[in-house]
Amino acid sequence: MAVSSSSSLIVTTFRLPFVTCRKENGSIGRTESRDEWARSLAHIVSQSGGQWVGWPGLALQKGQSVPGPEQGDSSPTARLSGEQVIPVFLSQGQRDLAYSGHCKSGLWPLFHSMADRAVFDEDHWEEYRKVNNTFAEATLDALRAALKKNPDDVPMIWIHDYHLMEVANIVRRIAQQDNLACKIGYFMHIPFPPWDMIKIHPWKDIFLQGILGSDLVGFQCDDYALNFIDCCERGLRTRVDRKKLLVDHDAGGRSVKVRALPLGIPFDIFVDLAKEAPAANLNVPKDAQVILSIDTLDFTKGLIHRVNAFERLLEKYHIHKGAVVLIQVCLPSRSEDAQQLREMLENRIHAINSKFSVSGWTPIQLISRPLDDSELAALYRDTNVALVTPLRDGMNLTGKEFVACRIQEDKPGVLVLSPFIGAADLMQEALIVNPYEIGRVADYLHNALTMPVPEAEVRMNALRAREKKNDLNDWMKSFLREIDNLALSGEETEDRCRSGTMSRIKIDDFDAMLNKYMAEPGWSKLCLLLDYDGTLAPHGSHPDLTVLPEATREVLQRLADMPEVFVSVITGRCIPDIKAKVNIKNITYAGNHGIDIIHPDGTKFVPPMPEEVEEKAKWLLQKLQSECCVNGAWVENKGIVLALHHEAWKDKGSIDPEKKEKLLSRARELMTEAGFKIGMSDGGLVTEAKPSIKWDKGNAAIYILRSAFGVDWSENIRIIFAGDDLTDEDAMRGLKGLAYSFRVVNSGLVQTLANHRLPDTKGILTMLLWVEKFMMERRNKK
């Protein structure tokens, strides 16, 4: 049954489902992709009136129209008209740095758990990010076009694979800013490795958050989905639900669904191909059995391990000499290591053939040319054993295609699989063997070649029944169902999926975060260092409207009244303002990002300042107010710190973009002229002028601790720090290893040193309630 999307579908892939090419007459044509999933997805895009975003190949240049299908073309991609394609043009430099550089030299080996082959270069990474921005812009163009065509529609954006891991987050951010309704799905076709691999990547936090811009993230198998959830928990320090397969992400705690959605094949198409294909051209001795291996020429495929295992088979089981042939098909590869690997493989095959060949029998045959669908189907049908043993792979569809083509009842065939591919999770009737164990692979090949027909038949029938059911259509239907975008036909009923929302953070959730740190013996006092705006109190539309919730004030007061708890609020506000806002006695206040500090006994501290800083601040205030305070911008006067608030400029149409840049540039010039340091808020909506001294919240935190507890305090106290912006990262950096820190996230892309992320200020309140409960229980135990 055909799969349909309930709304228009926008698919974003690095490559289009066809490649443009230059024809003999000089015009531009198109050649269909070999990826079956891309070809089938093209049908859904066409049916939904959707669009496909991707690189068209080298033949098409900017300004040229995307060619339509050839007359009489009945392939799946022929239904996709040129008007439904949004081409993304990439320069040679972008392809070299982003694709050949970061994708193939960095991400590909790392994600296949081969870290020793991975190369990470900052130039490659920067170009990768730029390319992702380019694809995101094209995707947003498609989204705007879809909404213009049907304003009541909620288009679904489906982004694919490791080349485009940042696109979802960029699209979500701009779509939210511009009020563009959409759902975003992401599918990773290659493996997603465990944390021990991912933590090697220098910019892992960025691409993890990039993927989490999606509503639904799909992987090839359970292991890869659970690896991703684990990496989010350990790498981003965010809350996850392994039972419901959810990740808590973004400001406010948006829940991202993570699912194992194994990719299938168009089973019936392969059956038809096997029925129609002529006999395979097998140049082997009569009655010889044939082992078939089909792979791209890539180091992840374990080609050398494979031929070594075949050599061991011939050495160990002499009955197979002269009676079995390995046909190794090496499909073209985009890998830069392909030529080197080809030479190594050819040398090993030559050595094995030289060692064992006799007249009329060559043990290994190497095919190094592309095969058409009919040739592949014939090989799948007419050989005896499929040997599919990559060292690591995403799904690997070779085994599935082999199974689909086994249509001869008297020749069921046997499938030998590596456990390190997604297909092995479900294809348990295959013989599953570790490709690194050369001797064991040889044993399994012997078992496959000598397996009784009744056993082989039972195994193959079970494999065929499952693959027929879990075909490519089922994969697409599963993805659309999980993201709640499946158009149901009359005879179908909606199968509700697991809940897509995490429960709100609870007091008990902090057991896993804080128990280990707090349970260490020997300390006598707990120190709470807390930011105000966005941490203790939710941001208001104006600083005056940022109000501390009463429940937070009450628990803070109770904690401050405990003799074994020390509380300090470190904020960007001036001291009089923050004291009035918090209004709790017996705590230390640090204003202006720690420049002004006042202790409970009234003593004050200000670090050494440049001469005439107050006069310069007055001059700067006057200049900013007279030259930059237009279209709703205003200056917050915090004494020797000034903040230019330009939140009013964030909305489209609020100010001319060119005028905005000129005003911000002028503000920075004035701040520099006055001798002040320039600081920016996370969202870029506030520009601050600070005295030009080496002092930040980190210095302030250390000073407060030394003042309260002396020099040798690290073993005697426990410290919890909480903040929400870049200025708080200074404190987290200064307290790294000394404190447990929390960061309230305010966007979908936050790089932080915090031990854990919290979705909002309610999470901070819950943390304080946990602290209160812990301290009371600790007191009662004494």
Side-chain angles (χ1 to χ4, degrees):
M1 182 177 294
V3 179
S4 298
S5 172
S6 62
S7 63
S8 63
L9 181 61
I10 300 166
V11 173
T12 302
T13 56
F14 188 80
R15 289 180 182 80
L16 291 171
F18 57 80
V19 178
T20 58
C21 57
R22 183 72 61 179
K23 297 193 291 188
E24 289 183 4
N25 63 5
S27 63
I28 299 173
R30 55 198 236 183
T31 304
E32 192 173 37
S33 167
R34 294 191 66 88
D35 291 326
E36 288 291 347
W37 66 267
R39 293 196 282 185
S40 296
L41 205 50
H43 169 72
I44 303 182
V45 173
S46 174
Q47 168 269 328
S48 73
Q51 298 164 90
W52 198 303
V53 178
W55 179 55
L58 296 172
L60 193 71
Q61 301 298 316
K62 277 187 180 180
Q64 295 178 318
S65 298
V66 176
E70 298 289 336
Q71 190 171 5
D73 185 356
S74 60
S75 66
T77 59
R79 299 187 182 100
L80 197 64
S81 68
E83 290 73 28
Q84 288 182 286
V85 172
I86 297 183
V88 177
F89 297 100
L90 301 175
S91 67
Q92 184 65 51
Q94 287 176 312
R95 297 195 301 275
D96 288 345
L97 294 176
Y99 179 76
S100 301
H102 194 68
C103 288
K104 299 305 289 185
S105 298
L107 294 173
W108 179 264
L110 185 70
F111 279 39
H112 286 81
S113 299
M114 297 181 176
D116 59 313
R117 289 183 170 271
V119 176
F120 299 109
D121 180 278
E122 195 163 353
D123 290 338
H124 294 172
W125 168 247
E126 288 303 321
E127 201 60 53
Y128 176 87
R129 300 198 72 187
K130 290 176 184 176
V131 166
N132 271 249
N133 264 292
T134 302
F135 274 86
E137 289 167 3
T139 304
L140 285 161
D141 288 342
L143 176 59
R144 292 185 181 99
L147 290 170
K148 185 177 180 180
K149 182 179 177 181
N150 186 356
D152 296 326
D153 191 19
V154 180
M156 177 190 157
I157 298 168
W158 195 350
I159 302 160
H160 289 262
D161 226 359
Y162 69 110
H163 317 87
L164 304 175
M165 292 191 290
E166 283 198 72
V167 170
N169 197 43
I170 300 166
V171 169
R172 176 172 295 279
R173 174 172 53 81
I174 296 175
Q176 287 176 339
Q177 288 174 4
D178 295 352
N179 294 317
L180 304 174
C182 65
K183 296 176 184 176
I184 304 175
Y186 176 89
F187 190 81
M188 177 70 80
H189 290 263
I190 67 172
F192 197 90
W195 172 240
D196 278 354
M197 288 288 115
I198 290 295
K199 70 181 181 182
I200 294 170
H201 195 288
W203 306 283
K204 54 193 168 291
D205 52 340
I206 294 177
F207 74 67
L208 287 172
Q209 292 177 90
I211 294 172
L212 289 173
S214 312
D215 297 294
L216 169 67
V217 181
F219 294 93
Q220 298 282 20
C221 63
D222 288 333
D223 279 354
Y224 301 159
L226 292 172
N227 283 347
F228 178 75
I229 290 173
D230 187 54
C231 288
C232 290
E233 182 180 43
R234 299 174 70 181
L236 298 179
R237 302 289 185 168
T238 193
R239 201 164 58 109
V240 304
D241 186 327
R242 283 180 169 79
K243 188 174 181 181
K244 292 182 179 179
L245 299 178
L246 299 171
V247 177
D248 198 20
H249 183 63
D250 214 337
R254 183 174 57 84
S255 295
V256 180
K257 293 171 73 173
V258 180
R259 297 290 184 265
L261 299 166
L263 181 61
I265 63 168
F267 189 90
D268 292 338
I269 290 176
F270 275 92
V271 170
D272 291 341
L273 283 169
K275 288 178 179 177
E276 297 169 4
N281 184 21
L282 300 175
N283 185 21
V284 299
K286 186 179 178 182
D287 298 327
Q289 295 197 79
V290 179
I291 300 170
L292 176 65
S293 180
I294 300 177
D295 275 303
T296 52
L297 201 59
D298 191 278
F299 56 84
T300 64
K301 305 303 181 182
L303 296 169
I304 303 299
H305 295 70
R306 198 168 304 163
V307 296
N308 287 344
F310 184 73
E311 179 185 32
R312 186 72 58 86
L313 171 77
L314 299 179
E315 290 172 342
K316 189 172 183 180
Y317 299 98
H318 299 285
I319 61 169
H320 298 305
K321 289 182 178 179
V324 64
V325 173
L326 170 64
I327 295 180
Q328 176 63 61
V329 180
C330 286
L331 301 173
S333 170
R334 302 182 183 106
S335 168
E336 291 187 353
D337 299 323
Q339 185 57 41
Q340 180 186 5
L341 182 57
R342 181 187 301 278
E343 291 174 4
M344 292 172 60
L345 182 63
E346 289 174 347
N347 289 339
R348 280 300 294 136
I349 290 174
H350 177 73
I352 294 169
N353 285 342
S354 299
K355 180 177 178 181
F356 292 101
S357 289
V358 295
S359 178
W361 176 63
T362 303
I364 304 178
Q365 297 179 16
L366 179 64
I367 300 176
S368 297
R369 62 176 178 83
L371 303 178
D372 62 32
D373 290 344
S374 180
E375 288 179 293
L376 281 172
L379 284 172
Y380 285 139
R381 181 195 61 206
D382 296 343
T383 52
N384 303 88
V385 176
L387 181 59
V388 186
T389 52
L391 304 179
R392 180 71 65 178
D393 213 341
M395 174 53 64
N396 194 298
L397 301 176
T398 300
K400 294 172 178 276
E401 293 171 358
F402 174 78
V403 163
C405 292
R406 304 308 298 187
I407 60 173
Q408 302 179 69
E409 292 183 6
D410 61 337
K411 194 176 180 180
V414 180
L415 175 62
V416 181
L417 282 184
S418 163
F420 308 127
I421 63 175
D425 269 18
L426 296 177
M427 303 182 81
Q428 290 293 307
E429 296 84 1
L431 302 184
I432 299 176
V433 60
N434 186 339
Y436 290 95
E437 298 183 72
I438 303 300
R440 189 173 290 273
V441 175
D443 295 339
Y444 273 56
L445 282 174
H446 173 70
N447 291 344
L449 292 164
T450 59
M451 183 179 289
V453 170
E455 180 185 347
E457 189 174 36
V458 168
R459 289 176 180 272
M460 187 55 66
N461 285 346
L463 286 166
R464 283 177 57 79
R466 185 184 300 107
E467 292 310 314
K468 181 175 176 62
K469 178 176 179 290
N470 300 334
D471 65 355
L472 184 60
N473 258 10
D474 184 69
W475 172 71
M476 292 187 289
K477 184 185 291 186
S478 298
F479 199 98
L480 293 172
R481 183 188 295 117
E482 286 287 359
I483 203 168
D484 199 23
N485 217 68
L486 179 67
L488 300 174
S489 62
E491 63 270 20
E492 288 181 299
T493 57
E494 188 172 6
D495 178 17
R496 299 307 302 170
C497 304
R498 283 170 286 188
S499 168
T501 306
M502 289 184 71
S503 59
R504 286 210 63 86
I505 195 163
K506 303 182 294 295
I507 291 177
D508 291 348
D509 290 330
F510 286 90
D511 290 345
M513 302 177 208
L514 287 169
N515 258 343
K516 183 178 179 181
Y517 176 70
M518 299 287 281
E520 293 180 10
W523 59 274
S524 58
K525 200 137 185 172
L526 172 65
C527 180
L528 297 174
L529 304 177
L530 310 167
D531 175 51
Y532 180 76
D533 294 80
T535 303
L536 289 172
H539 283 291
S541 57
H542 187 281
D544 291 345
L545 300 178
T546 300
V547 178
L548 184 65
E550 193 56 37
T552 306
R553 186 193 311 279
E554 288 173 0
V555 69
L556 264 183
Q557 183 67 69
R558 294 194 298 271
L559 287 167
D561 290 340
M562 292 182 179
E564 62 269 46
V565 178
F566 175 92
V567 178
S568 176
V569 176
I570 309 178
T571 176
R573 291 173 178 264
C574 63
I575 290 291
D577 187 20
I578 191 60
K579 288 187 71 175
K581 286 286 186 184
V582 177
N583 194 26
I584 292 177
K585 297 179 180 179
N586 301 322
I587 70 173
T588 295
Y589 292 96
N592 287 329
H593 306 297
I595 290 176
D596 296 313
I597 299 173
I598 183 167
H599 299 288
D601 62 4
T603 57
K604 299 179 180 179
F605 172 80
V606 176
M609 290 286 161
E611 293 183 9
E612 301 175 347
V613 67
E614 292 182 6
E615 289 301 317
K616 289 180 179 179
K618 290 177 182 177
W619 175 86
L620 180 58
L621 174 62
Q622 184 181 9
K623 284 287 189 181
L624 289 173
Q625 288 176 333
S626 62
E627 297 187 33
C628 302
C629 291
V630 297
N631 295 77
W634 61 284
V635 179
E636 182 183 2
N637 183 2
K638 299 188 281 187
I640 54 175
V641 175
L642 303 176
L644 174 63
H645 289 259
H646 39 91
E647 296 96 335
W649 298 349
K650 69 178 179 179
D651 297 325
K652 274 191 173 181
S654 60
I655 187 172
D656 178 72
E658 190 175 335
K659 180 180 178 182
K660 173 183 171 181
E661 287 306 313
K662 285 183 178 178
L663 288 168
L664 287 175
S665 177
R666 179 56 180 158
R668 290 190 287 267
E669 287 175 6
L670 290 169
M671 292 175 184
T672 302
E673 185 180 342
F676 282 72
K677 290 193 301 184
I678 300 170
M680 293 289 292
S681 66
D682 268 2
L685 302 178
V686 180
T687 304
E688 278 193 319
K690 307 175 186 178
S692 187
I693 59 172
K694 193 176 181 180
W695 193 265
D696 54 34
K697 284 188 178 181
N699 303 111
I702 297 295
Y703 169 81
I704 289 168
L705 293 168
R706 285 172 62 99
S707 299
F709 306 108
V711 177
D712 189 19
W713 47 263
S714 60
E715 297 298 321
N716 302 322
I717 65 173
R718 284 290 169 268
I719 308 162
I720 295 175
F721 179 87
D724 81 310
D725 67 12
L726 289 173
T727 64
D728 299 307
E729 292 293 325
D730 294 328
M732 294 176 200
R733 187 176 297 104
L735 296 171
K736 193 70 176 174
L738 300 172
Y740 195 99
S741 55
F742 291 95
R743 170 78 184 259
V744 178
V745 295
N746 48 25
S747 75
L749 183 59
V750 172
Q751 292 182 270
T752 181
L753 295 169
N755 295 95
H756 210 280
R757 297 168 186 239
L758 294 175
D760 50 33
T761 56
K762 292 178 182 176
I764 294 293
L765 170 59
T766 308
M767 180 270 289
L768 293 174
L769 290 169
W770 183 93
V771 169
E772 181 185 31
K773 174 173 169 279
F774 179 90
M775 295 304 293
M776 292 297 294
E777 291 174 352
R778 189 171 188 266
R779 180 188 290 178
N780 293 334
K781 287 178 183 177
K782 289 186 176 180

